[in-house]
Amino acid sequence: MKTHFSHDVLIIGSGAAGLTLALNLSSVGTIAVISKDRLKDGSTWYAQGGIAAVLDDLDSTDAHVKDTLSAGAGLCHEEAVRFTVENSADAINWLVEQGVSFTKNTDNQDFHLTKEGGHSHRRIIHSADATGKEVHSTLIDRIRNSDNIDIFEQHIAVDLIQQADQHKPRLRCSGAYIYNRAQDVVCTFDAKVVILATGGASKVYLYTSNPDGASGDGIAMAWRAGCRVANMEFNQFHPTCLYHPKAKTFLITEALRGEGAHLKLPSGERFMHLFDEREELAPRDIVARAIDHEIKRLGCDHLYLDISHKSEEFISSHFPTVKKQCLQYGIDITKEPIPIVPAAHYTCGGVMVNQYGATDLENLYAIGETSFTGLHGANRMASNSLLECIVYARSAAARIRQQLANIEPVSPPPPWDESKVTNSDEDVVISHNWDELRRFMWDYVGIVRTHKRLERAQHRVKLLQKEIAEYYSNYKVGNDLVELRNLVTVAQLIIRSAIERKESRGLHYSLDHPELGKITRDTILVPTNFAGQNVIVDQP
Ligand SMILES: Cc1cc2nc3c(=O)[nH]c(=O)nc-3n(C[C@H](O)[C@H](O)[C@H](O)COP(=O)(O)OP(=O)(O)OC[C@H]3O[C@@H](n4cnc5c(N)ncnc54)[C@H](O)[C@@H]3O)c2cc1C
């Protein structure tokens, strides 16, 4: 069985970020795209609302920048915001060129633009309420038909490979060890350039809108390889996920609120006016906290989102997916309110990168939700994330294209060593630790935090880290163990960052420090084995 593979470019992750990068590089070298499940199993597929971009004559770059800065609560890096917004129309044009079909107005055939929380204009381009599926399936079709791209599904990256060459003593990234789940073997993939496009880490929380693979693998791998990680305390909780005992969390798109849906208490009363003058269209952190507050105040499990006052025709044409999904659970959204709870949704922090997605480790890039570009600050504005995926993937591709010819190959990396491990005979340790971790992260490091709760979480995470490290060094790797090891690393990074932030800002809310601090600063964590390429990332 072949266990060693060589490519020019190794892309770990097959969401919007990874596939956009692959398609933009397919003419310049051999590419491997690694996906731990099927190509479509990432957050991208599930995105409903759309992609923010300046496409309307009445809108402007300045307005989009201003809205993003305002949602980011003083922590956005303005250069990153401007760069992203200025490239938004090109990013959408590129998607249209790939064949993505966005919803159009029936009267004039222009793209229909919708509005979401925090946006001062209608600027969300979408494909009804299943934008991610349309974008992702189009990119997947294109990838499957590309000559230079080898696809490896059911392969999970375990760790990055770092090597020095004769000319440069400093380590550089030269590949990754990747576990082939079907064949139960760890393979060596070497490459001139490696890109982490592994998505977010919301699976670290008990309730999440994310698919199962969102275990922060890229962030954990980069951290272990010596890359800095920033702003991990800012995890966005989506205010409205379907609450139903049989539903694995299903997100109710923000566009419902954009189109006039009301949040209601079990009594049927509206309450958002008590929290923010923008009511249902306040930024997500405010809405999620308001719902959390009301749920705790009333001691109930969930609240409601109601769009049933709109016409059946309007609801069916704008929200066919939400309508269908809710009907599966016996809820007719055209006639009754939808039961909702908040759930972990988006990781604003991540691996520190510059405008080209370059990390601290030479020849290692990070793009998409796994990266920290400075765009989102303390709170991501709705629909800016898919935009970030496309813009930074294209920017990284441009840089890698220039760089590739000048990278000399290193000697083949050593194969994965399994000589000191055996098959596990107690997988229950993995499932138990997995449940414990996600539960205490939800209880102690969730929407509202206190110093005491964070300290409790820190204590527990240390114990778990020790246990999992011991397990990892004694037993053969498997998918669940790889993910758990990464989840516990990411949990530790989130807790550390939350403890360091002595204020309430954006998505980080502490009862001990409810006020906004005077100094705006990112929480930058530096690993002890810092790789030291030291990419320059502007400060907010
Ligand atoms: C329900 C939902 C709705 C959303 N709606 C919107 C929206 O309307 N607009 C918007 O802008 N954003 C939205 N978001 C956020 C947005 O979808 C994500 O931020 C974005 O899709 C992330 O893309 P990505 O390419 O970075 O990662 P993903 O699409 O998550 O892809 C990650 C990929 O990495 C792979 N992977 C991970 N770890 C490994 C590993 N160790 N080895 C191999 N492969 C690995 C996964 O298999 C997957 O292929 C939504 C998110 C969710 C969950």
PDB file of all heavy atoms in Angstrom, residues 12-17 35-36 41 43-44 46-50 155-157 197-199 209-210 217 345-346 368-369 380 383 385-386 389, ligand 1:
ATOM      1  N   ILE A  12      -4.941  21.175   3.344  1.00  0.00           N
ATOM      2  CA  ILE A  12      -5.660  20.362   4.330  1.00  0.00           C
ATOM      3  C   ILE A  12      -7.000  21.043   4.590  1.00  0.00           C
ATOM      4  O   ILE A  12      -7.058  22.093   5.226  1.00  0.00           O
ATOM      5  CB  ILE A  12      -4.836  20.211   5.626  1.00  0.00           C
ATOM      6  CG1 ILE A  12      -3.450  19.638   5.288  1.00  0.00           C
ATOM      7  CG2 ILE A  12      -5.568  19.319   6.620  1.00  0.00           C
ATOM      8  CD1 ILE A  12      -2.491  19.588   6.467  1.00  0.00           C
ATOM      9  N   GLY A  13      -8.062  20.462   4.053  1.00  0.00           N
ATOM     10  CA  GLY A  13      -9.396  21.043   4.217  1.00  0.00           C
ATOM     11  C   GLY A  13     -10.041  21.323   2.875  1.00  0.00           C
ATOM     12  O   GLY A  13      -9.388  21.849   1.961  1.00  0.00           O
ATOM     13  N   SER A  14     -11.324  20.981   2.772  1.00  0.00           N
ATOM     14  CA  SER A  14     -12.001  21.099   1.476  1.00  0.00           C
ATOM     15  C   SER A  14     -13.256  21.954   1.562  1.00  0.00           C
ATOM     16  O   SER A  14     -14.253  21.679   0.911  1.00  0.00           O
ATOM     17  CB  SER A  14     -12.359  19.706   0.972  1.00  0.00           C
ATOM     18  OG  SER A  14     -13.241  19.071   1.907  1.00  0.00           O
ATOM     19  N   GLY A  15     -13.232  23.002   2.417  1.00  0.00           N
ATOM     20  CA  GLY A  15     -14.343  23.954   2.457  1.00  0.00           C
ATOM     21  C   GLY A  15     -14.116  25.034   1.414  1.00  0.00           C
ATOM     22  O   GLY A  15     -13.289  24.892   0.499  1.00  0.00           O
ATOM     23  N   ALA A  16     -14.845  26.154   1.586  1.00  0.00           N
ATOM     24  CA  ALA A  16     -14.732  27.254   0.615  1.00  0.00           C
ATOM     25  C   ALA A  16     -13.288  27.726   0.495  1.00  0.00           C
ATOM     26  O   ALA A  16     -12.795  28.000  -0.614  1.00  0.00           O
ATOM     27  CB  ALA A  16     -15.619  28.419   1.061  1.00  0.00           C
ATOM     28  N   ALA A  17     -12.574  27.790   1.632  1.00  0.00           N
ATOM     29  CA  ALA A  17     -11.203  28.310   1.594  1.00  0.00           C
ATOM     30  C   ALA A  17     -10.281  27.352   0.842  1.00  0.00           C
ATOM     31  O   ALA A  17      -9.588  27.753  -0.109  1.00  0.00           O
ATOM     32  CB  ALA A  17     -10.702  28.533   3.025  1.00  0.00           C
ATOM     33  N   SER A  35      -9.288  15.785   2.953  1.00  0.00           N
ATOM     34  CA  SER A  35     -10.543  16.062   3.636  1.00  0.00           C
ATOM     35  C   SER A  35     -10.852  14.931   4.608  1.00  0.00           C
ATOM     36  O   SER A  35     -10.816  13.761   4.215  1.00  0.00           O
ATOM     37  CB  SER A  35     -11.653  16.170   2.595  1.00  0.00           C
ATOM     38  OG  SER A  35     -12.791  16.697   3.185  1.00  0.00           O
ATOM     39  N   LYS A  36     -11.156  15.268   5.841  1.00  0.00           N
ATOM     40  CA  LYS A  36     -11.249  14.169   6.806  1.00  0.00           C
ATOM     41  C   LYS A  36     -12.519  13.343   6.658  1.00  0.00           C
ATOM     42  O   LYS A  36     -12.578  12.225   7.141  1.00  0.00           O
ATOM     43  CB  LYS A  36     -11.035  14.653   8.232  1.00  0.00           C
ATOM     44  CG  LYS A  36     -12.037  15.571   8.818  1.00  0.00           C
ATOM     45  CD  LYS A  36     -11.615  15.807  10.273  1.00  0.00           C
ATOM     46  CE  LYS A  36     -12.291  16.965  10.901  1.00  0.00           C
ATOM     47  NZ  LYS A  36     -11.771  17.261  12.226  1.00  0.00           N
ATOM     48  N   ASP A  41     -18.170  17.795   3.697  1.00  0.00           N
ATOM     49  CA  ASP A  41     -18.446  17.797   5.135  1.00  0.00           C
ATOM     50  C   ASP A  41     -17.711  18.884   5.908  1.00  0.00           C
ATOM     51  O   ASP A  41     -16.844  18.590   6.730  1.00  0.00           O
ATOM     52  CB  ASP A  41     -18.122  16.422   5.737  1.00  0.00           C
ATOM     53  CG  ASP A  41     -19.120  15.390   5.284  1.00  0.00           C
ATOM     54  OD1 ASP A  41     -20.320  15.721   5.229  1.00  0.00           O
ATOM     55  OD2 ASP A  41     -18.701  14.274   4.951  1.00  0.00           O
ATOM     56  N   SER A  43     -18.249  23.316   7.342  1.00  0.00           N
ATOM     57  CA  SER A  43     -19.276  24.326   7.614  1.00  0.00           C
ATOM     58  C   SER A  43     -19.795  24.959   6.329  1.00  0.00           C
ATOM     59  O   SER A  43     -20.960  25.373   6.256  1.00  0.00           O
ATOM     60  CB  SER A  43     -18.704  25.431   8.509  1.00  0.00           C
ATOM     61  OG  SER A  43     -18.506  24.946   9.797  1.00  0.00           O
ATOM     62  N   THR A  44     -18.914  25.063   5.328  1.00  0.00           N
ATOM     63  CA  THR A  44     -19.308  25.778   4.108  1.00  0.00           C
ATOM     64  C   THR A  44     -20.642  25.268   3.569  1.00  0.00           C
ATOM     65  O   THR A  44     -21.526  26.050   3.221  1.00  0.00           O
ATOM     66  CB  THR A  44     -18.209  25.626   3.031  1.00  0.00           C
ATOM     67  OG1 THR A  44     -17.005  26.190   3.543  1.00  0.00           O
ATOM     68  CG2 THR A  44     -18.585  26.329   1.746  1.00  0.00           C
ATOM     69  N   TYR A  46     -23.134  24.147   4.947  1.00  0.00           N
ATOM     70  CA  TYR A  46     -24.326  24.473   5.749  1.00  0.00           C
ATOM     71  C   TYR A  46     -24.646  25.962   5.800  1.00  0.00           C
ATOM     72  O   TYR A  46     -25.657  26.343   6.385  1.00  0.00           O
ATOM     73  CB  TYR A  46     -24.148  23.943   7.177  1.00  0.00           C
ATOM     74  CG  TYR A  46     -24.013  22.441   7.179  1.00  0.00           C
ATOM     75  CD1 TYR A  46     -22.761  21.838   7.154  1.00  0.00           C
ATOM     76  CD2 TYR A  46     -25.142  21.640   7.139  1.00  0.00           C
ATOM     77  CE1 TYR A  46     -22.632  20.453   7.112  1.00  0.00           C
ATOM     78  CE2 TYR A  46     -25.026  20.257   7.095  1.00  0.00           C
ATOM     79  CZ  TYR A  46     -23.771  19.676   7.086  1.00  0.00           C
ATOM     80  OH  TYR A  46     -23.655  18.322   7.025  1.00  0.00           O
ATOM     81  N   ALA A  47     -23.770  26.793   5.233  1.00  0.00           N
ATOM     82  CA  ALA A  47     -24.018  28.239   5.297  1.00  0.00           C
ATOM     83  C   ALA A  47     -25.320  28.549   4.581  1.00  0.00           C
ATOM     84  O   ALA A  47     -25.568  28.065   3.477  1.00  0.00           O
ATOM     85  CB  ALA A  47     -22.864  29.003   4.667  1.00  0.00           C
ATOM     86  N   GLN A  48     -26.139  29.337   5.236  1.00  0.00           N
ATOM     87  CA  GLN A  48     -27.454  29.586   4.656  1.00  0.00           C
ATOM     88  C   GLN A  48     -27.565  31.006   4.109  1.00  0.00           C
ATOM     89  O   GLN A  48     -27.861  31.224   2.950  1.00  0.00           O
ATOM     90  CB  GLN A  48     -28.528  29.395   5.732  1.00  0.00           C
ATOM     91  CG  GLN A  48     -28.581  27.997   6.280  1.00  0.00           C
ATOM     92  CD  GLN A  48     -29.560  27.877   7.447  1.00  0.00           C
ATOM     93  OE1 GLN A  48     -30.158  28.861   7.876  1.00  0.00           O
ATOM     94  NE2 GLN A  48     -29.727  26.685   7.950  1.00  0.00           N
ATOM     95  N   GLY A  49     -27.264  31.981   4.986  1.00  0.00           N
ATOM     96  CA  GLY A  49     -27.563  33.383   4.710  1.00  0.00           C
ATOM     97  C   GLY A  49     -26.949  33.897   3.419  1.00  0.00           C
ATOM     98  O   GLY A  49     -27.646  34.316   2.497  1.00  0.00           O
ATOM     99  N   GLY A  50     -25.618  33.891   3.311  1.00  0.00           N
ATOM    100  CA  GLY A  50     -25.004  34.385   2.099  1.00  0.00           C
ATOM    101  C   GLY A  50     -23.614  34.954   2.316  1.00  0.00           C
ATOM    102  O   GLY A  50     -22.951  34.621   3.300  1.00  0.00           O
ATOM    103  N   HIS A 155      -9.341  11.192   4.940  1.00  0.00           N
ATOM    104  CA  HIS A 155      -7.953  11.304   5.410  1.00  0.00           C
ATOM    105  C   HIS A 155      -7.893  12.451   6.411  1.00  0.00           C
ATOM    106  O   HIS A 155      -8.313  13.565   6.081  1.00  0.00           O
ATOM    107  CB  HIS A 155      -6.998  11.631   4.261  1.00  0.00           C
ATOM    108  CG  HIS A 155      -6.645  10.449   3.400  1.00  0.00           C
ATOM    109  ND1 HIS A 155      -7.568   9.754   2.654  1.00  0.00           N
ATOM    110  CD2 HIS A 155      -5.439   9.840   3.174  1.00  0.00           C
ATOM    111  CE1 HIS A 155      -6.961   8.775   2.003  1.00  0.00           C
ATOM    112  NE2 HIS A 155      -5.667   8.802   2.296  1.00  0.00           N
ATOM    113  N   ILE A 156      -7.357  12.193   7.590  1.00  0.00           N
ATOM    114  CA  ILE A 156      -7.293  13.261   8.588  1.00  0.00           C
ATOM    115  C   ILE A 156      -5.831  13.593   8.925  1.00  0.00           C
ATOM    116  O   ILE A 156      -5.056  12.687   9.265  1.00  0.00           O
ATOM    117  CB  ILE A 156      -8.115  12.925   9.861  1.00  0.00           C
ATOM    118  CG1 ILE A 156      -7.981  14.034  10.905  1.00  0.00           C
ATOM    119  CG2 ILE A 156      -7.732  11.587  10.477  1.00  0.00           C
ATOM    120  CD1 ILE A 156      -9.000  13.952  12.025  1.00  0.00           C
ATOM    121  N   ALA A 157      -5.506  14.882   8.797  1.00  0.00           N
ATOM    122  CA  ALA A 157      -4.132  15.307   9.119  1.00  0.00           C
ATOM    123  C   ALA A 157      -3.917  15.194  10.621  1.00  0.00           C
ATOM    124  O   ALA A 157      -4.759  15.620  11.410  1.00  0.00           O
ATOM    125  CB  ALA A 157      -3.922  16.740   8.658  1.00  0.00           C
ATOM    126  N   ALA A 197      -6.636  24.710   5.940  1.00  0.00           N
ATOM    127  CA  ALA A 197      -7.950  25.291   5.613  1.00  0.00           C
ATOM    128  C   ALA A 197      -9.002  24.427   6.306  1.00  0.00           C
ATOM    129  O   ALA A 197      -9.956  23.961   5.691  1.00  0.00           O
ATOM    130  CB  ALA A 197      -8.149  25.309   4.105  1.00  0.00           C
ATOM    131  N   THR A 198      -8.781  24.223   7.598  1.00  0.00           N
ATOM    132  CA  THR A 198      -9.497  23.184   8.340  1.00  0.00           C
ATOM    133  C   THR A 198     -10.742  23.682   9.081  1.00  0.00           C
ATOM    134  O   THR A 198     -11.332  22.925   9.847  1.00  0.00           O
ATOM    135  CB  THR A 198      -8.544  22.539   9.361  1.00  0.00           C
ATOM    136  OG1 THR A 198      -7.853  23.587  10.045  1.00  0.00           O
ATOM    137  CG2 THR A 198      -7.524  21.660   8.693  1.00  0.00           C
ATOM    138  N   GLY A 199     -11.117  24.932   8.870  1.00  0.00           N
ATOM    139  CA  GLY A 199     -12.348  25.433   9.477  1.00  0.00           C
ATOM    140  C   GLY A 199     -12.191  25.756  10.955  1.00  0.00           C
ATOM    141  O   GLY A 199     -11.081  25.860  11.484  1.00  0.00           O
ATOM    142  N   SER A 209     -23.686  24.836  16.045  1.00  0.00           N
ATOM    143  CA  SER A 209     -24.326  24.760  14.730  1.00  0.00           C
ATOM    144  C   SER A 209     -23.404  24.080  13.728  1.00  0.00           C
ATOM    145  O   SER A 209     -23.797  23.836  12.595  1.00  0.00           O
ATOM    146  CB  SER A 209     -24.614  26.182  14.229  1.00  0.00           C
ATOM    147  OG  SER A 209     -23.368  26.851  14.018  1.00  0.00           O
ATOM    148  N   ASN A 210     -22.164  23.804  14.134  1.00  0.00           N
ATOM    149  CA  ASN A 210     -21.158  23.316  13.178  1.00  0.00           C
ATOM    150  C   ASN A 210     -21.254  21.808  12.975  1.00  0.00           C
ATOM    151  O   ASN A 210     -21.686  21.074  13.869  1.00  0.00           O
ATOM    152  CB  ASN A 210     -19.746  23.622  13.692  1.00  0.00           C
ATOM    153  CG  ASN A 210     -19.351  25.086  13.555  1.00  0.00           C
ATOM    154  OD1 ASN A 210     -18.192  25.412  13.570  1.00  0.00           O
ATOM    155  ND2 ASN A 210     -20.328  25.966  13.411  1.00  0.00           N
ATOM    156  N   ASP A 217      -8.681  21.438  14.308  1.00  0.00           N
ATOM    157  CA  ASP A 217      -7.449  20.688  14.027  1.00  0.00           C
ATOM    158  C   ASP A 217      -6.321  21.589  13.523  1.00  0.00           C
ATOM    159  O   ASP A 217      -5.164  21.441  13.936  1.00  0.00           O
ATOM    160  CB  ASP A 217      -7.701  19.597  12.976  1.00  0.00           C
ATOM    161  CG  ASP A 217      -8.706  18.558  13.445  1.00  0.00           C
ATOM    162  OD1 ASP A 217      -9.172  18.647  14.591  1.00  0.00           O
ATOM    163  OD2 ASP A 217      -9.014  17.646  12.664  1.00  0.00           O
ATOM    164  N   HIS A 345     -20.933  28.852  17.161  1.00  0.00           N
ATOM    165  CA  HIS A 345     -21.144  28.960  15.719  1.00  0.00           C
ATOM    166  C   HIS A 345     -19.879  29.303  14.933  1.00  0.00           C
ATOM    167  O   HIS A 345     -19.661  28.781  13.849  1.00  0.00           O
ATOM    168  CB  HIS A 345     -22.201  30.040  15.499  1.00  0.00           C
ATOM    169  CG  HIS A 345     -22.601  30.229  14.078  1.00  0.00           C
ATOM    170  ND1 HIS A 345     -23.102  29.203  13.312  1.00  0.00           N
ATOM    171  CD2 HIS A 345     -22.583  31.330  13.273  1.00  0.00           C
ATOM    172  CE1 HIS A 345     -23.378  29.659  12.104  1.00  0.00           C
ATOM    173  NE2 HIS A 345     -23.061  30.938  12.052  1.00  0.00           N
ATOM    174  N   TYR A 346     -19.069  30.196  15.466  1.00  0.00           N
ATOM    175  CA  TYR A 346     -17.945  30.670  14.650  1.00  0.00           C
ATOM    176  C   TYR A 346     -16.748  31.018  15.528  1.00  0.00           C
ATOM    177  O   TYR A 346     -16.894  31.654  16.575  1.00  0.00           O
ATOM    178  CB  TYR A 346     -18.356  31.915  13.852  1.00  0.00           C
ATOM    179  CG  TYR A 346     -17.279  32.350  12.889  1.00  0.00           C
ATOM    180  CD1 TYR A 346     -17.134  31.727  11.653  1.00  0.00           C
ATOM    181  CD2 TYR A 346     -16.364  33.345  13.235  1.00  0.00           C
ATOM    182  CE1 TYR A 346     -16.121  32.099  10.782  1.00  0.00           C
ATOM    183  CE2 TYR A 346     -15.355  33.724  12.369  1.00  0.00           C
ATOM    184  CZ  TYR A 346     -15.238  33.096  11.148  1.00  0.00           C
ATOM    185  OH  TYR A 346     -14.240  33.445  10.278  1.00  0.00           O
ATOM    186  N   GLY A 368      -9.240  30.894   5.781  1.00  0.00           N
ATOM    187  CA  GLY A 368     -10.607  30.545   6.190  1.00  0.00           C
ATOM    188  C   GLY A 368     -10.753  30.646   7.697  1.00  0.00           C
ATOM    189  O   GLY A 368      -9.992  31.341   8.387  1.00  0.00           O
ATOM    190  N   GLU A 369     -11.717  29.909   8.217  1.00  0.00           N
ATOM    191  CA  GLU A 369     -12.081  30.075   9.632  1.00  0.00           C
ATOM    192  C   GLU A 369     -10.938  29.689  10.572  1.00  0.00           C
ATOM    193  O   GLU A 369     -10.893  30.141  11.722  1.00  0.00           O
ATOM    194  CB  GLU A 369     -13.345  29.255   9.934  1.00  0.00           C
ATOM    195  CG  GLU A 369     -13.973  29.621  11.260  1.00  0.00           C
ATOM    196  CD  GLU A 369     -15.339  28.998  11.476  1.00  0.00           C
ATOM    197  OE1 GLU A 369     -16.044  28.676  10.499  1.00  0.00           O
ATOM    198  OE2 GLU A 369     -15.703  28.821  12.660  1.00  0.00           O
ATOM    199  N   ARG A 380     -17.559  38.701  14.760  1.00  0.00           N
ATOM    200  CA  ARG A 380     -17.702  38.626  13.304  1.00  0.00           C
ATOM    201  C   ARG A 380     -19.056  39.173  12.875  1.00  0.00           C
ATOM    202  O   ARG A 380     -20.090  38.812  13.437  1.00  0.00           O
ATOM    203  CB  ARG A 380     -17.602  37.170  12.859  1.00  0.00           C
ATOM    204  CG  ARG A 380     -17.920  36.965  11.403  1.00  0.00           C
ATOM    205  CD  ARG A 380     -18.039  35.495  11.074  1.00  0.00           C
ATOM    206  NE  ARG A 380     -19.256  34.932  11.591  1.00  0.00           N
ATOM    207  CZ  ARG A 380     -20.153  34.263  10.848  1.00  0.00           C
ATOM    208  NH1 ARG A 380     -19.940  34.100   9.571  1.00  0.00           N
ATOM    209  NH2 ARG A 380     -21.230  33.759  11.397  1.00  0.00           N
ATOM    210  N   SER A 383     -22.026  36.990   7.586  1.00  0.00           N
ATOM    211  CA  SER A 383     -21.711  36.808   6.161  1.00  0.00           C
ATOM    212  C   SER A 383     -20.369  37.379   5.719  1.00  0.00           C
ATOM    213  O   SER A 383     -20.068  37.409   4.530  1.00  0.00           O
ATOM    214  CB  SER A 383     -22.837  37.344   5.259  1.00  0.00           C
ATOM    215  OG  SER A 383     -23.959  36.509   5.415  1.00  0.00           O
ATOM    216  N   SER A 385     -17.661  35.886   6.762  1.00  0.00           N
ATOM    217  CA  SER A 385     -16.691  34.784   6.849  1.00  0.00           C
ATOM    218  C   SER A 385     -16.483  34.064   5.524  1.00  0.00           C
ATOM    219  O   SER A 385     -15.339  33.763   5.160  1.00  0.00           O
ATOM    220  CB  SER A 385     -17.102  33.792   7.932  1.00  0.00           C
ATOM    221  OG  SER A 385     -18.475  33.582   7.879  1.00  0.00           O
ATOM    222  N   LEU A 386     -17.556  33.794   4.795  1.00  0.00           N
ATOM    223  CA  LEU A 386     -17.331  33.171   3.485  1.00  0.00           C
ATOM    224  C   LEU A 386     -16.534  34.123   2.603  1.00  0.00           C
ATOM    225  O   LEU A 386     -15.671  33.700   1.830  1.00  0.00           O
ATOM    226  CB  LEU A 386     -18.672  32.824   2.826  1.00  0.00           C
ATOM    227  CG  LEU A 386     -19.332  31.542   3.344  1.00  0.00           C
ATOM    228  CD1 LEU A 386     -20.743  31.397   2.784  1.00  0.00           C
ATOM    229  CD2 LEU A 386     -18.503  30.307   3.000  1.00  0.00           C
ATOM    230  N   CYS A 389     -12.962  33.731   3.406  1.00  0.00           N
ATOM    231  CA  CYS A 389     -12.427  32.483   2.821  1.00  0.00           C
ATOM    232  C   CYS A 389     -11.978  32.715   1.379  1.00  0.00           C
ATOM    233  O   CYS A 389     -10.873  32.332   0.978  1.00  0.00           O
ATOM    234  CB  CYS A 389     -13.500  31.390   2.782  1.00  0.00           C
ATOM    235  SG  CYS A 389     -13.932  30.707   4.374  1.00  0.00           S
TER     236      CYS A 389
HETATM  237  C1  LIG B   1     -24.788  26.440   9.905  1.00  0.00           C
HETATM  238  C2  LIG B   1     -23.813  27.502   9.453  1.00  0.00           C
HETATM  239  C3  LIG B   1     -24.266  28.588   8.731  1.00  0.00           C
HETATM  240  C4  LIG B   1     -23.373  29.568   8.311  1.00  0.00           C
HETATM  241  N1  LIG B   1     -23.831  30.600   7.534  1.00  0.00           N
HETATM  242  C5  LIG B   1     -22.938  31.483   7.022  1.00  0.00           C
HETATM  243  C6  LIG B   1     -23.350  32.487   6.096  1.00  0.00           C
HETATM  244  O1  LIG B   1     -24.517  32.557   5.715  1.00  0.00           O
HETATM  245  N2  LIG B   1     -22.405  33.336   5.628  1.00  0.00           N
HETATM  246  C7  LIG B   1     -21.100  33.269   5.999  1.00  0.00           C
HETATM  247  O2  LIG B   1     -20.287  34.076   5.530  1.00  0.00           O
HETATM  248  N3  LIG B   1     -20.689  32.325   6.865  1.00  0.00           N
HETATM  249  C8  LIG B   1     -21.563  31.425   7.366  1.00  0.00           C
HETATM  250  N4  LIG B   1     -21.130  30.465   8.228  1.00  0.00           N
HETATM  251  C9  LIG B   1     -19.707  30.364   8.515  1.00  0.00           C
HETATM  252  C10 LIG B   1     -19.000  29.798   7.292  1.00  0.00           C
HETATM  253  O3  LIG B   1     -19.806  28.796   6.719  1.00  0.00           O
HETATM  254  C11 LIG B   1     -17.665  29.208   7.663  1.00  0.00           C
HETATM  255  O4  LIG B   1     -16.909  30.138   8.387  1.00  0.00           O
HETATM  256  C12 LIG B   1     -16.888  28.846   6.402  1.00  0.00           C
HETATM  257  O5  LIG B   1     -17.660  28.004   5.580  1.00  0.00           O
HETATM  258  C13 LIG B   1     -15.596  28.157   6.776  1.00  0.00           C
HETATM  259  O6  LIG B   1     -15.011  27.665   5.602  1.00  0.00           O
HETATM  260  P1  LIG B   1     -13.618  26.946   5.693  1.00  0.00           P
HETATM  261  O7  LIG B   1     -13.252  26.587   4.300  1.00  0.00           O
HETATM  262  O8  LIG B   1     -12.682  27.748   6.488  1.00  0.00           O
HETATM  263  O9  LIG B   1     -13.920  25.628   6.564  1.00  0.00           O
HETATM  264  P2  LIG B   1     -15.008  24.471   6.402  1.00  0.00           P
HETATM  265  O10 LIG B   1     -16.000  24.742   5.350  1.00  0.00           O
HETATM  266  O11 LIG B   1     -15.506  24.174   7.763  1.00  0.00           O
HETATM  267  O12 LIG B   1     -14.125  23.258   5.899  1.00  0.00           O
HETATM  268  C14 LIG B   1     -13.145  22.690   6.724  1.00  0.00           C
HETATM  269  C15 LIG B   1     -12.568  21.512   5.989  1.00  0.00           C
HETATM  270  O13 LIG B   1     -11.424  21.028   6.677  1.00  0.00           O
HETATM  271  C16 LIG B   1     -11.487  19.628   6.774  1.00  0.00           C
HETATM  272  N5  LIG B   1     -10.655  19.266   7.918  1.00  0.00           N
HETATM  273  C17 LIG B   1     -10.701  19.746   9.175  1.00  0.00           C
HETATM  274  N6  LIG B   1      -9.741  19.189   9.918  1.00  0.00           N
HETATM  275  C18 LIG B   1      -9.076  18.335   9.118  1.00  0.00           C
HETATM  276  C19 LIG B   1      -7.977  17.456   9.300  1.00  0.00           C
HETATM  277  N7  LIG B   1      -7.360  17.325  10.477  1.00  0.00           N
HETATM  278  N8  LIG B   1      -7.553  16.719   8.249  1.00  0.00           N
HETATM  279  C20 LIG B   1      -8.179  16.800   7.051  1.00  0.00           C
HETATM  280  N9  LIG B   1      -9.219  17.615   6.809  1.00  0.00           N
HETATM  281  C21 LIG B   1      -9.655  18.370   7.837  1.00  0.00           C
HETATM  282  C22 LIG B   1     -12.954  19.332   6.898  1.00  0.00           C
HETATM  283  O14 LIG B   1     -13.202  17.996   6.560  1.00  0.00           O
HETATM  284  C23 LIG B   1     -13.502  20.320   5.885  1.00  0.00           C
HETATM  285  O15 LIG B   1     -13.353  19.808   4.586  1.00  0.00           O
HETATM  286  C24 LIG B   1     -22.025  29.471   8.655  1.00  0.00           C
HETATM  287  C25 LIG B   1     -21.567  28.377   9.404  1.00  0.00           C
HETATM  288  C26 LIG B   1     -22.456  27.394   9.787  1.00  0.00           C
HETATM  289  C27 LIG B   1     -21.945  26.214  10.575  1.00  0.00           C
END
